[in-house]
Coordinates of all heavy atoms in Angstrom, one line a residue:
M20 N 3.2 31.3 86.3 CA 2.7 30.2 87.2 C 2.5 28.9 86.5 O 1.9 28.9 85.4 CB 1.4 30.6 88.0 CG 1.0 29.6 89.0 SD -0.4 30.2 89.9 CE 0.3 30.5 91.5
Q21 N 2.9 27.8 87.0 CA 2.7 26.5 86.4 C 1.4 25.9 86.9 O 0.9 26.1 88.1 CB 3.9 25.6 86.9 CG 3.9 24.3 86.2 CD 5.1 23.5 86.6 OE1 6.2 24.0 86.6 NE2 5.0 22.2 86.9
C22 N 0.9 25.0 86.0 CA -0.3 24.2 86.4 C -0.1 23.4 87.6 O 1.0 22.8 87.6 CB -0.9 23.5 85.2 SG -2.3 22.4 85.6
H23 N -1.1 23.2 88.4 CA -0.9 22.4 89.7 C -0.8 20.9 89.3 O -0.3 20.1 90.0 CB -2.0 22.7 90.6 CG -2.0 21.9 91.8 ND1 -1.0 22.1 92.9 CD2 -2.7 20.9 92.4 CE1 -1.2 21.4 93.9 NE2 -2.2 20.6 93.7
Y24 N -1.4 20.5 88.1 CA -1.6 19.2 87.7 C -0.6 18.7 86.6 O -0.6 17.5 86.4 CB -3.0 18.9 87.3 CG -4.0 19.2 88.4 CD1 -4.7 20.3 88.5 CD2 -4.2 18.2 89.5 CE1 -5.6 20.7 89.5 CE2 -5.1 18.5 90.5 CZ -5.8 19.7 90.6 OH -6.6 20.1 91.5
C25 N -0.1 19.6 85.9 CA 0.8 19.2 84.8 C 2.0 20.2 84.7 O 2.0 21.2 85.4 CB 0.1 19.0 83.6 SG -0.6 20.5 82.8
D26 N 2.7 20.1 83.7 CA 3.9 21.0 83.6 C 3.6 22.2 82.6 O 4.5 23.1 82.3 CB 5.1 20.3 82.9 CG 5.6 19.2 83.9 OD1 5.4 19.5 85.0 OD2 6.2 18.3 83.5
R27 N 2.4 22.3 82.2 CA 2.0 23.5 81.3 C 1.9 24.7 82.1 O 1.7 24.7 83.4 CB 0.7 23.2 80.7 CG 1.0 22.4 79.3 CD -0.3 22.3 78.5 NE -1.1 21.1 78.9 CZ -2.2 20.9 78.4 NH1 -2.7 21.5 77.4 NH2 -2.9 19.8 78.9
E28 N 2.0 25.9 81.4 CA 1.8 27.1 82.1 C 0.3 27.3 82.4 O -0.6 26.9 81.6 CB 2.2 28.3 81.2 CG 2.2 29.7 81.9 CD 2.9 30.8 81.0 OE1 3.6 30.4 80.1 OE2 2.7 32.0 81.5
A29 N 0.1 27.8 83.6 CA -1.3 28.0 84.1 C -2.0 29.1 83.3 O -1.5 30.2 83.1 CB -1.3 28.4 85.6
A30 N -3.3 28.9 82.9 CA -4.1 29.7 82.3 C -4.8 30.7 83.3 O -5.1 31.8 83.1 CB -5.2 29.1 81.4
V31 N -5.1 30.1 84.5 CA -5.7 30.9 85.5 C -5.0 30.5 86.9 O -4.4 29.4 87.0 CB -7.2 30.4 85.7 CG1 -8.0 31.0 84.5 CG2 -7.4 29.1 85.9
A32 N -5.0 31.5 87.8 CA -4.5 31.2 89.2 C -5.7 31.5 90.0 O -6.4 32.5 90.1 CB -3.4 32.2 89.5
V33 N -6.0 30.5 90.9 CA -7.1 30.6 91.8 C -6.7 30.5 93.3 O -5.6 29.9 93.5 CB -8.2 29.5 91.5 CG1 -8.8 29.7 90.1 CG2 -7.7 28.1 91.7
E34 N -7.4 31.2 94.1 CA -7.0 31.1 95.6 C -8.1 30.4 96.2 O -9.3 30.9 96.2 CB -6.7 32.5 96.0 CG -6.1 32.4 97.3 CD -5.5 33.8 97.8 OE1 -5.2 34.7 96.9 OE2 -5.6 34.0 99.0
K35 N -7.7 29.3 96.9 CA -8.8 28.6 97.7 C -8.2 28.3 99.1 O -7.1 27.8 99.2 CB -9.0 27.3 97.0 CG -10.2 26.6 97.7 CD -10.6 25.3 96.9 CE -11.8 24.6 97.4 NZ -12.1 23.4 96.7
E36 N -8.8 28.8 100.0 CA -8.4 28.5 101.4 C -7.0 29.1 101.6 O -6.1 28.4 102.2 CB -8.6 27.1 101.8 CG -10.0 26.6 101.9 CD -10.2 25.2 102.0 OE1 -9.2 24.4 102.0 OE2 -11.3 24.7 102.0
H37 N -6.8 30.3 101.1 CA -5.6 30.9 101.2 C -4.3 30.2 100.5 O -3.2 30.6 100.7 CB -5.2 31.1 102.7 CG -6.2 31.9 103.5 ND1 -6.7 33.2 103.1 CD2 -7.1 31.5 104.4 CE1 -7.6 33.6 103.9 NE2 -7.9 32.5 104.7
I38 N -4.6 29.3 99.6 CA -3.6 28.6 98.9 C -3.8 28.9 97.4 O -4.9 28.7 96.8 CB -3.6 27.1 99.1 CG1 -3.4 26.8 100.6 CG2 -2.6 26.4 98.2 CD1 -3.7 25.3 100.9
K39 N -2.8 29.5 96.8 CA -2.9 29.8 95.4 C -2.6 28.6 94.5 O -1.5 28.0 94.7 CB -1.9 30.9 95.0 CG -2.7 32.3 94.9 CD -1.9 33.4 94.1 CE -2.7 34.6 93.7 NZ -2.1 35.5 93.1
V40 N -3.4 28.3 93.6 CA -3.3 27.2 92.7 C -3.3 27.6 91.3 O -4.4 28.2 90.9 CB -4.3 26.1 93.0 CG1 -4.2 24.9 92.1 CG2 -4.1 25.6 94.5
G41 N -2.3 27.2 90.5 CA -2.4 27.5 89.0 C -3.1 26.4 88.3 O -2.9 25.2 88.6
L42 N -3.9 26.6 87.2 CA -4.5 25.6 86.4 C -4.4 26.0 84.9 O -4.7 27.1 84.6 CB -6.0 25.4 86.8 CG -6.3 25.0 88.3 CD1 -7.9 25.1 88.4 CD2 -5.9 23.5 88.4
C43 N -4.0 25.1 84.1 CA -4.0 25.3 82.7 C -5.6 25.1 82.3 O -6.3 24.7 83.2 CB -3.2 24.2 81.9 SG -3.7 22.5 82.1
E44 N -5.8 25.5 81.1 CA -7.2 25.5 80.7 C -7.9 24.2 80.7 O -9.0 23.9 81.1 CB -7.3 26.1 79.3 CG -8.8 26.6 79.0 CD -8.8 27.6 77.8 OE1 -7.8 28.3 77.6 OE2 -9.8 27.5 77.1
E45 N -7.1 23.1 80.4 CA -7.6 21.7 80.4 C -8.0 21.3 81.7 O -9.0 20.8 82.0 CB -6.6 20.8 79.7 CG -7.0 19.4 79.6 CD -6.0 18.5 78.9 OE1 -5.4 19.0 78.0 OE2 -5.9 17.4 79.4
H46 N -7.0 21.5 82.7 CA -7.3 21.0 84.1 C -8.4 21.9 84.8 O -9.0 21.5 85.6 CB -6.0 21.0 84.8 CG -5.2 19.8 84.5 ND1 -3.9 19.8 83.9 CD2 -5.6 18.4 84.7 CE1 -3.6 18.6 83.7 NE2 -4.5 17.7 84.2
F47 N -8.4 23.2 84.4 CA -9.4 24.1 84.9 C -10.7 23.5 84.6 O -11.7 23.4 85.4 CB -9.2 25.4 84.3 CG -10.4 26.4 84.7 CD1 -10.7 26.8 86.0 CD2 -11.3 26.8 83.7 CE1 -11.7 27.6 86.3 CE2 -12.3 27.6 84.0 CZ -12.5 28.1 85.3
R48 N -11.0 23.1 83.3 CA -12.3 22.5 83.0 C -12.5 21.2 83.7 O -13.6 20.9 84.0 CB -12.2 22.2 81.4 CG -12.4 23.5 80.6 CD -12.6 23.4 79.2 NE -12.7 24.7 78.5 CZ -12.1 24.9 77.4 NH1 -11.4 24.0 76.7 NH2 -12.2 26.0 76.8
D49 N -11.4 20.3 83.8 CA -11.6 19.1 84.7 C -12.1 19.4 85.9 O -12.8 18.5 86.5 CB -10.2 18.5 84.6 CG -9.9 17.7 83.4 OD1 -10.7 17.6 82.5 OD2 -8.7 17.2 83.3
R50 N -11.6 20.4 86.6 CA -11.8 20.7 88.0 C -13.2 21.5 88.2 O -13.5 21.8 89.3 CB -10.7 21.4 88.6 CG -9.5 20.6 88.6 CD -9.6 19.3 89.5 NE -8.6 18.3 89.1 CZ -8.6 17.1 89.6 NH1 -9.5 16.7 90.4 NH2 -7.8 16.2 89.0
L51 N -13.8 22.0 87.1 CA -14.8 23.0 87.2 C -15.9 22.5 88.0 O -16.5 23.2 88.9 CB -15.2 23.3 85.8 CG -15.9 24.8 85.7 CD1 -15.0 25.9 86.1 CD2 -16.2 25.0 84.3
E52 N -16.3 21.2 87.9 CA -17.5 20.7 88.6 C -17.2 20.7 90.0 O -18.0 21.1 90.9 CB -17.8 19.3 88.1 CG -18.6 19.3 86.8 CD -19.1 17.9 86.5 OE1 -19.3 17.1 87.5 OE2 -19.3 17.6 85.3
E53 N -16.1 20.2 90.5 CA -15.8 20.2 91.9 C -15.6 21.5 92.5 O -15.9 21.8 93.6 CB -14.7 19.2 92.3 CG -13.3 19.6 91.7 CD -12.3 18.6 92.2 OE1 -12.3 17.5 91.5 OE2 -11.5 18.8 93.0
L54 N -15.0 22.4 91.6 CA -14.7 23.7 92.0 C -16.0 24.5 92.2 O -16.1 25.5 93.1 CB -13.8 24.5 91.0 CG -12.4 24.0 90.9 CD1 -11.6 24.9 90.0 CD2 -11.7 24.0 92.2
S55 N -17.0 24.2 91.5 CA -18.2 25.0 91.4 C -19.0 24.8 92.8 O -20.0 25.5 93.1 CB -19.1 24.5 90.3 OG -19.6 23.2 90.5
E56 N -18.6 24.0 93.7 CA -19.2 23.8 95.0 C -18.8 25.1 95.9 O -19.6 25.4 96.8 CB -18.6 22.6 95.7 CG -19.2 21.3 95.0 CD -18.5 20.1 95.6 OE1 -17.9 20.1 96.7 OE2 -18.7 19.0 95.0
G57 N -17.7 25.8 95.5 CA -17.4 27.0 96.3 C -18.0 28.2 95.7 O -18.4 28.3 94.6
D58 N -18.1 29.2 96.7 CA -18.7 30.4 96.4 C -17.8 31.3 95.5 O -18.1 32.3 94.9 CB -19.0 31.3 97.5 CG -20.1 30.7 98.4 OD1 -20.9 29.9 97.7 OD2 -20.3 31.0 99.6
W59 N -16.5 30.9 95.4 CA -15.5 31.8 94.7 C -15.4 31.5 93.2 O -14.7 32.2 92.6 CB -14.2 31.5 95.3 CG -13.8 30.0 95.4 CD1 -14.2 29.2 96.3 CD2 -13.0 29.2 94.5 NE1 -13.8 27.9 96.1 CE2 -13.0 28.0 94.9 CE3 -12.3 29.6 93.4 CZ2 -12.4 26.9 94.2 CZ3 -11.7 28.6 92.6 CH2 -11.7 27.3 93.1
L60 N -16.4 30.6 92.7 CA -16.3 30.5 91.3 C -16.7 31.6 90.4 O -16.0 31.9 89.4 CB -17.3 29.3 90.9 CG -17.2 28.9 89.4 CD1 -15.8 28.3 89.0 CD2 -18.3 27.8 89.2
G61 N -17.6 32.4 91.1 CA -17.9 33.7 90.2 C -16.7 34.6 90.0 O -16.4 35.1 89.0
D62 N -16.0 34.7 91.1 CA -14.8 35.5 91.1 C -13.7 34.9 90.1 O -13.2 35.6 89.3 CB -14.0 35.5 92.4 CG -14.8 36.4 93.4 OD1 -15.7 37.1 93.0 OD2 -14.7 36.2 94.7
L63 N -13.7 33.6 90.0 CA -12.8 32.9 89.2 C -13.2 33.2 87.7 O -12.3 33.5 86.9 CB -12.8 31.4 89.4 CG -11.9 30.5 88.6 CD1 -10.5 30.9 88.8 CD2 -12.2 29.1 88.9
E64 N -14.4 33.1 87.5 CA -14.9 33.4 86.0 C -14.6 34.8 85.7 O -14.1 35.1 84.6 CB -16.3 33.1 85.9 CG -16.6 31.6 85.9 CD -18.0 31.3 85.9 OE1 -18.9 32.1 86.4 OE2 -18.4 30.1 85.4
E65 N -14.7 35.7 86.6 CA -14.3 37.2 86.2 C -12.9 37.2 85.9 O -12.5 37.9 85.1 CB -14.7 38.0 87.5 CG -16.2 38.3 87.5 CD -16.5 39.2 88.8 OE1 -15.6 39.8 89.3 OE2 -17.7 39.0 89.2
K66 N -12.0 36.6 86.6 CA -10.6 36.6 86.5 C -10.3 36.0 85.1 O -9.3 36.4 84.4 CB -9.9 35.9 87.6 CG -9.8 36.7 88.9 CD -9.1 35.9 90.0 CE -9.3 36.7 91.3 NZ -9.0 35.8 92.5
L67 N -10.9 35.0 84.7 CA -10.7 34.2 83.5 C -11.0 35.2 82.4 O -10.3 35.3 81.4 CB -11.6 33.0 83.4 CG -11.3 32.1 82.3 CD1 -9.8 31.5 82.5 CD2 -12.3 30.8 82.3
D68 N -12.1 35.9 82.5 CA -12.5 36.9 81.4 C -11.4 38.0 81.3 O -11.0 38.4 80.2 CB -13.8 37.6 81.8 CG -15.0 36.7 81.4 OD1 -14.7 35.6 80.8 OD2 -16.0 36.8 82.0
V69 N -10.9 38.5 82.4 CA -9.9 39.5 82.4 C -8.6 38.9 81.7 O -8.0 39.6 80.9 CB -9.5 39.9 83.8 CG1 -8.3 40.8 83.9 CG2 -10.7 40.7 84.4
D70 N -8.2 37.7 82.0 CA -7.1 37.1 81.4 C -7.1 36.9 80.0 O -6.1 37.1 79.2 CB -6.8 35.8 82.0 CG -6.2 35.8 83.4 OD1 -5.8 36.9 83.8 OD2 -6.3 34.8 84.1
R71 N -8.4 36.8 79.4 CA -8.6 36.6 78.0 C -8.7 37.8 77.2 O -8.6 37.8 76.0 CB -9.8 35.7 77.8 CG -9.5 34.2 78.1 CD -10.8 33.4 78.0 NE -10.5 32.0 78.0 CZ -11.4 31.0 78.2 NH1 -12.6 31.4 78.3 NH2 -11.0 29.8 78.2
S72 N -9.0 38.9 77.9 CA -9.2 40.1 77.2 C -8.0 40.8 76.7 O -6.9 40.5 77.1 CB -10.1 41.1 78.0 OG -9.4 41.5 79.2
Ligands
ZN121 ZN1 -2.7 21.2 83.7

């Protein structure tokens, strides 16, 4: 999956309001503050750990 914001390969894929969005690690960090408003951030962090293991 490609990052939603640039041409790099996405490090994480998140689903928000039934739309799947890929984010590279840089853009994931950029968006972390605004994303943290949602309840799904906990799930996202779990997925990130899985991806890195
Ligand atoms: Zn990116």
